[in-house]
Amino acid sequence: MLSPEASNAFEVTDKAVYKIYRSGQVSILYYKIDPDPETLAYLDVANASRLSPKEGQTILERLIEKSDSMLPRGSKLAEINNLLREGKCKEEEIEAALKREGNRNARSALDNIIRVLGHNNILEQGHVLIAIVAPISAVMNIQDERFVSTQERSTRYVSFDEMYVPESIKGNAEALSIYSEAVKELDNAMSKALEAMSKRLTEAYIREHQKEPEEQYIKDVIKPSARDLCRGLVPMGKQTVVFLSINAKSLESITKKMLSSNDPVNRLVGEGLKQVAKENVPSFASRIDPDDFELAYHAGVKGIELSNAMPEINDFESEKVELHGEEEAKLVEKIGLMALKRPEEVLDYVRNITGLRHGKYDALNNTVLGIGSLLFDIEVSVGTLRDLQRHRDAIKNYQVTDGIFYFPRELMEDPIFEVVERAIKKNVEARKRLSEMGFGAEAKLLLPLAAGARLEMEMSFGEAVYIIENRSTPEGHPEYRQIALRMWEELKKAYPNLVSNLKAFVPERTSAYASREERQGVEEVNKEHLY
């Protein structure tokens, strides 16, 4: 039963520097500011990927608290009002001073974040800044928009404790009980698995270093690594927050896509974005309703299929990557045309120009190598699908299924996996019962991130190298690191001459946690600027 989630209007709370639009558990914050690019980028990263609610707080409450404290005008509102009332200064003088202060603070923070954490992509700017609090399943439909910069909560650094409960299910006591109990089962399995994986990683550290890890190392490395191994137990209905630095065209595109969806939660988010656009940037909203083509297209892609049968459970090693690309000779010819080189000069050109690269941030997707048509057919979990879909220069389509689940071998080999299997069995039973009661759409929210997906990604040669270099680093998640290394093997088989003449930064190690050392100073930056 696809119960309509959208109401005619979101409830609006108008605050000093932003508006809050609320409808049930879905919230959108619209920031009424015109910041410089650095301040905008700082708001993105500090409020999104490391947003961790305090005990007893919801994500929205923490987001509001941080927004009030981080935006200069919000933090100094009382002082501003006193100065204006006493006639000691003019509004425009205050605005200029606040902007300078905000810019200084943001620039200092960004310098540390970029230099120490390596997040240089946060300097991208947009015309409108929006934060959306919604289930993971809805945010997935936003993340792969090509021309929007996004930052989302990290499953590595924060816990996902808040579950979305659809309005349609709240009025049915039996359905609500089934839904809630299934969530509790996964949460319990997650808690026990996290403890077991932390113990396993600690023991591995002791074997390697012949000493106990320090508390700071446990916090900075072991706990995040354990969360990586257990994230497949997070259901798709868990609440998250995503920040969008977005231009008018992309806002229109995302809104149409969400309004066209068969999923009621997606449509609810679309209704909220539509209202935000019409009330705050009406010039953006003139064509914001989807037409027949858009309705038909978006309803037929990127779906979730439920069989509600016990899934096949596999480890990450069973995932597959296949490359369907144009022939190497044709790609070499095209690179020659772009580089104004004869075909016989291309390999020397590639060797010489890439030989000057200093690291993966000398990206090839923005060069003449950023051409060609390479389609990767990938079988992967939803958890890593979410990581890969954020690469905006690739065209993506995917289908999620409950017929297969993927977990790391470390977890599957541990005795605690019996608890995980029991939670999966009860999750299947709950989804089946809800579907039989007419709550099929609601049941999809219980599907965990371990669920399998077939992901199609079409990209250029340079973009493929970019994704491989950025997703194959030793400190990365073991699943997407393995996918990246398999993409690299496929690339070497399909384009042996290009790859052999290419200076690339792809590590050869295959164990994701063999030596996972965070760079010095990362935790200090996290504590000072991000949490």
Side-chain angles (χ1 to χ4, degrees):
M1 178 173 65
L2 292 176
S3 308
E5 290 281 327
S7 57
N8 291 331
F10 277 48
E11 178 185 348
V12 182
T13 303
D14 197 346
K15 304 196 77 172
V17 290
Y18 56 87
K19 293 180 181 179
I20 308 173
Y21 291 75
R22 287 190 181 95
S23 180
Q25 284 179 270
V26 171
S27 304
I28 300 175
L29 272 68
Y30 173 80
Y31 291 89
K32 301 185 294 183
I33 55 174
D34 182 21
D36 61 274
E38 290 166 313
T39 303
L40 181 58
Y42 178 47
L43 283 169
D44 269 8
V45 70
N47 268 3
S49 64
R50 311 300 168 86
L51 186 77
S52 185
K54 299 175 182 176
E55 186 174 352
Q57 273 188 325
T58 65
I59 294 174
L60 178 61
E61 288 168 347
R62 180 60 173 154
L63 179 59
I64 291 172
E65 182 180 72
K66 291 198 72 177
S67 296
D68 284 338
S69 65
M70 291 169 57
L71 294 168
R73 187 180 181 94
S75 62
K76 294 180 176 292
L77 193 58
E79 181 183 343
I80 291 171
N81 288 335
N82 287 335
L83 290 172
L84 291 173
R85 189 164 46 249
E86 295 168 7
K88 294 182 178 180
C89 60
K90 297 179 181 179
E91 176 74 23
E92 55 266 29
E93 294 172 342
I94 290 175
E95 293 289 347
L98 287 174
K99 187 168 185 178
R100 287 195 299 272
E101 178 190 3
N103 179 244
R104 283 196 300 270
N105 294 341
R107 182 170 295 164
S108 174
L110 284 178
D111 178 65
N112 281 312
I113 293 168
I114 294 168
R115 177 169 47 81
V116 180
L117 297 180
H119 291 315
N120 63 332
N121 62 319
I122 64 174
L123 289 176
E124 299 174 11
Q125 70 175 97
H127 302 299
V128 177
L129 178 61
I130 292 174
I132 300 174
V133 177
I136 290 171
S137 60
V139 169
M140 282 177 61
N141 287 272
I142 295 170
Q143 283 282 25
D144 58 6
E145 185 70 20
R146 294 192 72 193
F147 302 110
V148 59
S149 302
T150 66
Q151 287 284 340
E152 189 191 347
R153 298 181 82 213
S154 169
T155 54
R156 172 178 291 177
Y157 293 108
V158 296
S159 298
F160 281 65
D161 301 319
E162 189 178 340
M163 186 72 179
Y164 180 82
V165 182
E167 294 296 324
S168 54
I169 214 170
K170 290 180 179 179
N172 187 310
E174 182 182 2
L176 181 59
S177 175
I178 295 169
Y179 186 87
S180 301
E181 286 302 315
V183 174
K184 288 180 183 178
E185 286 290 338
L186 282 178
D187 285 349
N188 177 61
M190 175 71 170
S191 177
K192 293 183 177 180
L194 184 59
E195 182 180 350
M197 290 301 98
S198 296
K199 180 181 178 181
R200 188 184 184 100
L201 292 170
T202 299
E203 291 171 348
Y205 179 92
I206 294 171
R207 286 195 300 271
E208 182 178 350
H209 299 279
Q210 298 299 305
K211 65 177 183 177
E212 294 279 345
E214 297 181 358
E215 286 299 317
Q216 198 64 42
Y217 185 87
I218 293 173
K219 180 180 179 181
D220 295 350
V221 179
I222 289 178
K223 289 293 186 183
S225 299
R227 285 196 188 95
D228 269 352
L229 294 172
C230 301
R231 74 176 184 183
L233 292 167
V234 176
M236 294 174 67
K238 286 289 187 176
Q239 290 281 78
T240 186
V241 59
V242 61
F243 266 69
L244 311 179
S245 299
I246 192 169
N247 61 35
K249 187 65 179 176
S250 293
L251 177 60
E252 176 189 277
S253 175
I254 288 176
T255 304
K256 288 181 175 183
K257 177 166 62 175
M258 301 303 277
L259 289 172
S260 301
S261 175
N262 290 324
D263 184 88
V265 184
N266 291 346
R267 290 200 303 273
L268 177 59
V269 174
E271 291 289 347
L273 290 172
K274 178 179 175 180
Q275 186 178 343
V276 167
K278 286 193 170 184
E279 291 186 9
N280 299 283
V281 281
S283 61
F284 290 8
S286 60
R287 297 181 57 192
I288 209 161
D289 289 301
D291 59 25
D292 292 342
F293 164 76
E294 290 155 336
L295 284 167
Y297 175 75
H298 290 302
V301 296
K302 299 174 183 173
I304 300 174
E305 289 187 350
L306 293 185
S307 66
N308 296 322
M310 275 299 294
E312 177 184 343
I313 297 179
N314 287 333
D315 60 28
F316 295 156
E317 283 77 10
S318 67
E319 296 172 340
K320 299 176 182 178
V321 176
E322 292 184 1
L323 171 57
H324 307 275
E326 57 190 301
E327 294 182 358
E328 184 173 41
K330 184 64 176 178
L331 182 55
V332 167
E333 180 184 355
K334 289 168 70 173
I335 292 173
L337 290 171
M338 286 293 295
L340 304 179
K341 304 290 182 183
R342 294 190 299 273
E344 60 269 23
E345 298 174 326
V346 169
L347 296 181
D348 284 341
Y349 170 76
V350 170
R351 182 174 59 255
N352 292 333
I353 196 66
T354 64
L356 299 174
R357 300 177 74 207
H358 294 282
K360 64 181 181 179
Y361 294 115
D362 288 330
L364 298 181
N365 54 348
N366 292 321
T367 70
V368 295
L369 298 180
I371 60 172
S373 178
L374 285 67
L375 192 148
F376 284 93
D377 182 359
I378 304 172
E379 294 178 6
V380 71
S381 78
V382 173
T384 285
L385 181 155
R386 280 165 34 82
D387 295 313
L388 295 176
Q389 71 172 170
R390 293 168 187 162
H391 291 278
R392 297 188 298 274
D393 283 351
I395 304 294
K396 284 88 61 178
N397 192 19
Y398 58 81
Q399 189 74 29
V400 176
T401 176
D402 65 348
I404 185 168
F405 284 9
Y406 295 106
F407 288 102
R409 180 172 293 175
E410 295 93 329
L411 182 58
M412 295 180 68
E413 292 175 347
D414 196 279
I416 201 64
F417 200 67
E418 292 182 6
V419 176
V420 172
E421 289 180 308
R422 286 198 297 271
I424 292 171
K425 183 178 179 180
K426 291 184 178 181
N427 184 274
V428 172
E429 293 170 352
R431 287 188 276 111
K432 183 177 181 179
R433 290 179 64 190
L434 287 172
S435 298
E436 290 170 349
M437 296 170 67
F439 295 101
E442 292 81 355
K444 292 178 181 179
L445 295 167
L446 296 176
L447 197 63
L449 298 185
R454 182 173 178 178
L455 171 64
E456 307 296 334
M457 297 183 72
E458 196 279 338
M459 65 193 72
S460 70
F461 179 81
E463 178 67 9
V465 175
Y466 175 84
I467 292 175
I468 291 165
E469 289 181 331
N470 280 275
R471 294 296 179 180
S472 62
T473 55
E475 67 272 14
H477 189 281
E479 185 180 11
Y480 70 57
R481 182 168 190 268
Q482 177 175 261
I483 293 296
L485 291 172
R486 290 187 178 179
M487 290 173 66
W488 181 238
E489 291 302 315
E490 290 290 307
L491 208 66
K492 288 195 291 186
K493 286 191 295 184
Y495 306 105
N497 296 305
L498 277 171
V499 172
S500 64
N501 284 279
L502 180 77
K503 183 180 180 180
F505 296 88
V506 182
E508 294 301 322
R509 286 177 293 176
T510 58
S511 177
Y513 295 115
S515 181
R516 187 172 189 270
E517 298 291 346
E518 300 284 341
R519 280 166 291 179
Q520 186 176 8
V522 165
E523 181 60 19
E524 284 69 24
V525 172
N526 282 338
K527 286 190 289 188
E528 183 176 354
H529 299 295
L530 299 181
Y531 291 106

